[in-house]
Amino acid sequence: MVRPGRPLLVCCLVVALAGAGCLGFITGESSLSFEANATAVDDAALSETGYELVRSDSPGRTLNVSVAGETREVSIATEIREYGRNVTVGGQSAEVARFSVYTVPGVSIGGETINPVSEWSTRRLVDLLVSSNGDLRNVRSESNRTVRFLGSDRQVTTSRAQVVGSAGGNVTVHAATVSHDGDYIVAVGVHPTEIDEQSRIDALLAGLRHPA
């Protein structure tokens, strides 16, 4: 989700980093590190919706950026929280409803952003989600709605995608991407289209806390 290697304005970079005490990054003696503050659903919303935490992870990634003609390392740590709910579909109970929250640090060096999440549309994020999952095809947008979470009214996009393979059927995807307190937050809910999960997804969104 992060685009590496854009050339940076040398003069602005030197002034900005020198003022921040980061001369070691310019000279190659050290790397820069950025960490996101985790975003999580509060206990009240989990109790209301029946979702449970199924994954908590803080994956790191090292990128190379060009500074004054030299390559420097930037380390970025993302926070991931995933929640699931068991749903009975076709007489069988399984965890088929999932709500995921990805928090990416806002990385800006010398006025240049090397994290493009803020520039991406929610549709592009949904397309990326579908393209990264080999079982999903033919994503199509259906509607937008407004949900209040993290202190503001936010737009949530609802899309539908086709499930290929033995499972078959369709899934509904609810997605929102927002900027909050220096981080970029992507929230995605996915569930079979035949169940009505929107009110629970909205409750989970309303229960988001950042920092957790």
Side-chain angles (χ1 to χ4, degrees):
M1 297 178 66
V2 180
R3 182 172 64 238
R6 289 201 299 175
L8 306 180
L9 297 175
V10 176
C11 292
C12 292
L13 180 64
V14 170
V15 172
L17 294 187
C22 298
L23 285 174
F25 176 75
I26 299 174
T27 62
E29 297 172 359
S30 62
S31 63
L32 283 181
S33 297
F34 298 87
E35 298 179 356
N37 288 312
T39 306
V41 180
D42 64 23
D43 291 340
L46 293 178
S47 177
E48 175 186 348
T49 60
Y51 277 74
E52 296 181 348
L53 181 68
V54 296
R55 180 190 177 195
S56 177
D57 199 5
S58 304
R61 183 177 181 184
T62 299
L63 307 175
N64 293 321
V65 299
S66 177
V67 180
E70 300 292 336
T71 299
R72 298 289 180 262
E73 286 189 350
V74 176
S75 298
I76 296 176
T78 298
E79 292 290 339
I80 299 175
R81 299 293 183 272
E82 293 187 352
Y83 304 86
R85 185 174 82 87
N86 286 345
V87 178
T88 299
V89 178
Q92 296 184 337
S93 179
E95 185 196 290
V96 294
R98 182 67 66 96
F99 181 78
S100 304
V101 187
Y102 307 89
T103 312
V104 185
V107 180
S108 180
I109 303 176
E112 289 288 324
T113 300
I114 61 172
N115 188 327
V117 172
S118 63
E119 304 170 4
W120 290 358
S121 66
T122 302
R123 173 55 194 263
R124 182 175 180 185
L125 289 167
V126 172
D127 286 343
L128 287 171
L129 170 70
V130 171
S131 64
S132 66
N133 189 320
D135 294 332
L136 298 180
R137 295 286 189 279
N138 303 325
V139 60
R140 56 191 183 277
S141 297
E142 290 198 331
S143 63
N144 295 315
R145 67 185 185 277
T146 299
V147 180
R148 188 168 184 83
F149 63 99
L150 295 177
S152 298
D153 291 335
R154 318 279 190 174
Q155 180 174 286
V156 180
T157 297
T158 301
S159 304
R160 183 175 294 189
Q162 181 182 5
V163 181
V164 298
S166 58
N170 296 297
V171 294
T172 299
V173 182
H174 309 264
T177 175
V178 302
S179 174
H180 187 264
D181 285 353
D183 291 333
Y184 297 114
I185 301 165
V186 179
V188 181
V190 182
H191 59 84
T193 299
E194 57 262 40
I195 66 173
D196 183 3
E197 202 73 0
Q198 180 172 308
S199 61
R200 289 186 174 89
I201 296 297
D202 290 352
L204 292 170
L205 288 168
L208 288 177
R209 299 294 178 262
H210 174 254

